[in-house]
Amino acid sequence: MDFALNSDQQAVLEAVGTLLSRHAGPARLQQLGGDEPDYDHDLEKRLLEAGFLDLATTRSTCRLDAALVLEAVSGALGSCAAGWRLLVAPTLDTDLPGPVALVPDGRRGPVRFAADADAIVVIGSPVRLVRPDRSIARVRSRLGWPVGEVRELPAGGDLDGVDPAEVRTWARTALAVEMVGAMQLALDMTVRHVSDRRQFDRAIGSFQAVQHGLAECSVAVEGARWLALEAAFTGSAAAAAASLTHAVDASRLVFGRVHQYHGAMGFTREYDLHLATMRLLALRSEAEALGSPAAACAAEHWTI
C-alpha cells in the first residue's frame, strides 16, 4: 500500500472537497435539523451526478478511492447513505440508486436511514433485499442521522451469489472510515477551540496536559485512518475487523477528550461539536450489531 496519494486521488479529493464545502458541513446539517436531521437527498443527488459515489467497480477487491471519498463525506457531516453506495453496494451488483439501509438479520430497534430507505439490505445467510412499505416510523435520536424504528420486515428476496461474510466485511470497513471522518472533524474543532480559549491569560492549548491529551487523540485517529484505508485497499476480512476494533476504541478516547476540553458548551445545540461526536455513538452501535468487531478480529487472526 502506497501511503502517498497519486495525482488522480488528489484531484478527486479536491473536487469532492469543493462540492462538500458548498453543499455539506455543519451549517447544512443544521439546516436539515441539526443532530436530528432529514435525509439529504440533494447532497446524494449531487454526489451521484458528479460520479463520486461510483468509484468502486462491481466485485472489486480494492476500494481505496471510494474510501477516501467516504472519509471526506463523513468529515463534512453528510446526511446520506454514502457508506452503502461507495463500499458495500459493489459487492451486491444490484442497482439500488435511492437511499438504502443496512440491517443485520434479526436486529430490531433504531436503524440509520430506515425510515427514508427505498430498499433495506438484510445481512444474514442468505443476504436479503427488502422493499419497505414506508411504515417504518422516524424516531428521535440526536445521533446525527435520520433514524427509523425497525420492528418487523417483510421476507424480501434472497440475493443469489452474494457472500454474507463479504458484505459484513465491507460494512465494517465503511463504519471504520465513517468514524475516522467524524473523529477528525471533532479533533480539528477542538484544536481550534483550545487555541482560541484563554485561561490565566494563556491559551488553554498551551498547557501540557491538554497538548498531551490531544496528541494521544491524534495518534489514535491517524492509526484508525490507516487501518481503515488498508482494509479498503485489501478487501480483507481480518483488516476490516482490525480497523473497526481500533476505530471503536479511538472513538471512546476522542469523545471523552474533546468534550472535556470544550466543557459543557460541547453538548449545546448552538455549538457544532456534538454533530460529529454523537455520530460516533451511532456508529459504535452499528459496529456491535454486526457482531463484536474485537471478537471478529480475534477470530480472523487466530484459529482456535
Side-chain angles (χ1 to χ4, degrees), residues 74-257:
S74 178
L77 300 176
S79 182
C80 62
W84 145 259
R85 181 81 184 197
L86 283 160
L87 292 183
V88 184
T91 297
L92 274 62
D93 192 16
T94 300
D95 186 19
L96 298 171
V100 174
L102 292 173
V103 182
D105 196 14
R107 181 174 185 183
R108 300 293 181 267
V111 173
R112 184 166 48 141
F113 308 132
D116 301 273
D118 291 338
I120 295 177
V121 174
V122 181
I123 307 175
S125 186
V127 178
R128 306 196 321 273
L129 178 64
V130 174
R131 298 286 185 174
D133 57 6
R134 298 297 182 187
S135 63
I136 298 177
R138 180 78 60 84
V139 295
R140 301 190 64 179
S141 68
R142 292 204 67 186
L143 293 177
W145 281 291
V147 173
E149 180 76 17
V150 172
R151 295 180 180 176
E152 296 295 333
L153 290 173
D158 296 347
L159 294 176
D160 298 329
V162 176
D163 182 0
E166 186 179 351
V167 175
R168 192 172 287 106
T169 290
W170 286 110
R172 284 183 171 133
T173 302
L175 289 173
V177 173
E178 287 185 281
M179 293 182 86
V180 167
M183 286 190 291
Q184 188 63 60
L185 175 60
L187 188 56
D188 290 344
M189 292 178 64
T190 305
V191 170
R192 289 195 297 269
H193 172 72
V194 300
S195 299
D196 296 337
R197 176 74 172 173
R198 303 182 70 82
Q199 287 184 351
F200 308 111
D201 202 30
R202 293 173 57 186
I204 62 175
S206 68
F207 294 106
Q208 196 173 64
V210 175
Q211 292 176 350
H212 287 180
L214 289 177
E216 189 176 1
C217 289
S218 181
V219 170
V221 174
E222 195 68 7
R225 170 177 291 109
W226 292 114
L227 283 170
L229 295 181
E230 180 190 15
F233 180 74
T234 63
S236 161
S243 68
L244 188 54
T245 300
H246 183 71
V248 167
D249 287 344
S251 73
R252 292 191 175 97
L253 173 68
V254 170
F255 188 100
R257 290 278 169 80

Side-chain angles (χ1 to χ4, degrees), residues 4-63:
L5 299 181
N6 60 38
S7 59
D8 290 339
Q9 290 167 335
Q10 291 173 345
V12 167
L13 287 182
E14 288 175 5
V16 77
T18 299
L19 187 152
L20 292 170
S21 68
R22 296 171 179 170
H23 304 288
R28 172 59 176 167
L29 197 63
Q30 292 285 14
Q31 290 176 358
L32 292 167
D35 51 13
E36 297 181 69
D38 293 328
Y39 193 91
D40 197 343
H41 293 279
D42 179 70
L43 176 61
E44 183 176 66
K45 179 182 177 182
R46 292 178 186 276
L47 290 169
L48 277 169
E49 290 177 346
F52 292 128
L53 297 186
D54 295 310
L55 293 177
T57 58
T58 302
R59 299 298 173 90
S60 58
T61 55
C62 178
R63 302 177 192 176

